[in-house]
Amino acid sequence: MSLRLRLFLILTGATLAVWLSAVFWIEHSTRAEVTRVLDARLVEAARMVSSLVSKNQISLNRDGPAQITLSHDDSYEHQQFCQIWSFTQGLVGRSNGAPSAQLVPADATGFRDVTRDGKDLRVYTIIDPDLGGQVTVGDSLAMRNRLVRDVIEGFLWPALVILPVMWGLIWFAISRGLAPLDRFARDLDARPSEDLRALPGTARQPREIRPLAGALDDLLARLADARGREREFIAYAAHEMKTPLAGLKTQAHIARHAPDTDTREHALAAISTSVDRTDRMVRQLLDLAQVDSREARAASVELNGLLRQVLGDLAGLATRRGVTLELDSAPNAPTVEGDPLLLSLALRNLIENAVQASPDGAAIKVSVSTSDAALVVDIHDHGPGLPPEIAQQAGQKFVKGKGADANGSGLGLSIAHDALTRLGCTLSFEMRADGHHTRVDLPAA
């Protein structure tokens, strides 16, 4: 359902509800007023008849009760009637159209609603001491209902003209009010997909549209930044993939045409190295894609178990590099709160970097300790250390320092930095007398 139609239905529904409420209120108040006025007329008529009887201006007899004339209106025939009853003689007078049967008990006074001959009547009775009987005056409740109905119909008939006109004005007002939004939508639709510049004239938009325009400007800026990073990533990845693939092709050609066994073995070893480098880069590209696209999922992580798993995964690489891996952690180390996959990717790449940087025969020690309500993972290696300028660019991709391992891709540090940043952790590097330390501070669960 469109916003325009939704607003129209809400406003027309509200208008109709207000109109119907007015009808019910008018019906209630009109009925109360009609009852009050006509009841007052009944009281007045009863007193008038009683006065006429007292003054002998109405002849009363049992055989032919006198016909009493009350106020008459051609629009509402027989709107009032009267009965005069003697306690000893019975009916001694009645008006034209009045029932011949007694309407109320002999001792009754005041107002009553009664039914006679299938008609609902409203009657008022007083005792006349001079007569020794009672005077009852009444009118038809159907006549009263007709009066109320005529008032309501007089109110509803104009609604047949006024309400459609009002609803048309509401539709016109909504269309005019939403016109800036329509223009805004048309301008967006007309923009080419590659145009990620900020929307023009945001400050001149109506106040209600400015938050939407501002949010879209922010979104376009983020999309432009993401697209720029994506293009940069693809360019760097393509460049980095060219080197091992070109080496593979060259070494395969040498191995095929090698004049002796030593040359062939050397070429095959170079092919194996290029395959390892390409495999590592592809794996790190997949890790980077996971870090960028994954929604962090909070869970309690048992850090010792996670580190043992990571070290086990890297055992083969450490053996090939002639490096030993050690885990130094208390058996009951606290758990941490975070996404297990992101934390595993970060620690794996940091430890893998340490393995790649360590000399043959060195040992890499991974220790876990507590500090200020946080857990600290320290990765201690004996490599040359991370240059300060590279540490400052930890979040950038394909950044490698001078003298770095030629098989490195420059992605491992970026993967770890992005994953730990999303987990709310901090990453720092320090070169000490005993070697290089990579420190990760994780909030305890």
Side-chain angles (χ1 to χ4, degrees), residues 84-197:
I84 303 174
W85 286 82
S86 170
F87 294 141
T88 58
Q89 296 179 303
L91 182 64
V92 294
R94 67 186 182 92
S95 64
N96 184 30
S100 57
Q102 190 169 10
L103 296 174
V104 297
D107 58 347
T109 58
F111 287 102
R112 287 196 177 198
D113 292 336
V114 298
T115 301
R116 290 294 183 272
D117 301 329
K119 296 181 179 180
D120 295 326
L121 307 174
R122 174 78 165 171
V123 299
Y124 178 75
T125 303
I126 61 174
I127 301 296
D128 188 335
D130 297 332
L131 171 65
Q134 59 185 180
V135 176
T136 300
V137 178
D139 57 20
S140 170
L141 288 177
M143 178 270 298
R144 297 187 177 206
N145 292 333
R146 181 180 169 189
L147 283 171
V148 175
R149 185 173 62 251
D150 287 347
V151 172
I152 298 301
E153 288 180 355
F155 180 76
L156 288 177
W157 279 111
L160 297 177
V161 177
I162 295 174
L163 283 179
V165 172
M166 185 180 297
W167 291 339
L169 291 175
I170 289 174
W171 181 264
F172 175 76
I174 291 175
S175 299
R176 293 284 295 175
L178 294 179
L181 191 59
D182 291 336
R183 290 194 298 270
F184 185 71
R186 288 195 298 270
D187 291 342
L188 282 178
D189 188 59
R191 287 170 69 95
S193 58
E194 65 274 6
D195 187 0
L196 298 178
R197 296 172 300 168

Side-chain angles (χ1 to χ4, degrees), residues 10-22 163 166-167:
I10 291 173
L11 292 176
T12 53
T15 303
L16 186 60
V18 170
W19 199 278
L20 290 176
S21 299
L163 283 179
M166 185 180 297
W167 291 339

Side-chain angles (χ1 to χ4, degrees), residues 291-305:
V291 172
D292 287 341
S293 62
R294 183 177 176 85
E295 292 290 335
R297 304 165 187 173
S300 294
V301 181
E302 201 278 303
L303 195 55
N304 283 342

Side-chain angles (χ1 to χ4, degrees), residues 287-298 337-339 341-343 345-346 414-427 441-443:
D287 290 347
L288 188 62
Q290 279 189 302
V291 172
D292 287 341
S293 62
R294 183 177 176 85
E295 292 290 335
R297 304 165 187 173
E337 192 73 20
D339 188 309
L341 177 60
L342 293 180
L343 187 56
L345 291 176
S414 173
I415 293 171
H417 176 272
D418 291 350
L420 292 174
T421 299
R422 295 189 60 187
L423 291 171
C425 305
T426 57
L427 176 64
D441 289 81
L442 305 105

Side-chain angles (χ1 to χ4, degrees), residues 314-435:
L314 294 174
L317 174 64
T319 300
R320 291 193 300 271
R321 299 284 299 185
V323 175
T324 59
L325 298 174
E326 301 176 7
L327 176 61
D328 180 17
S329 176
N332 57 346
T335 60
V336 295
E337 192 73 20
D339 188 309
L341 177 60
L342 293 180
L343 187 56
S344 174
L345 291 176
L347 294 174
R348 176 191 173 96
N349 279 277
L350 291 175
I351 297 173
E352 186 175 3
N353 281 354
V355 171
Q356 297 286 354
S358 295
D360 187 20
I364 296 175
K365 183 178 181 180
V366 180
S367 60
V368 179
S369 60
T370 59
S371 173
D372 298 332
L375 285 179
V376 178
V377 177
D378 182 78
I379 304 170
H380 175 206
D381 65 75
H382 297 277
L386 193 68
E389 66 274 9
I390 301 299
Q392 293 176 359
Q393 304 176 60
Q396 298 185 23
K397 302 171 181 63
F398 302 106
V399 175
K400 295 188 289 185
K402 295 180 180 180
D405 184 2
N407 292 325
S409 63
L411 286 174
L413 193 56
S414 173
I415 293 171
H417 176 272
D418 291 350
L420 292 174
T421 299
R422 295 189 60 187
L423 291 171
C425 305
T426 57
L427 176 64
S428 59
F429 310 93
E430 184 180 359
M431 192 66 187
R432 303 176 190 170
D434 61 345

Side-chain angles (χ1 to χ4, degrees), residues 237-253 270-271 273-275 277-279 281-282:
H239 177 268
E240 291 294 321
M241 290 292 289
K242 280 183 179 180
T243 302
L245 291 177
L248 279 172
K249 184 176 181 181
T250 300
Q251 297 300 328
H253 180 77
I271 289 175
T273 300
S274 295
V275 170
R277 180 182 178 187
T278 304
D279 175 71
M281 177 172 290
V282 170

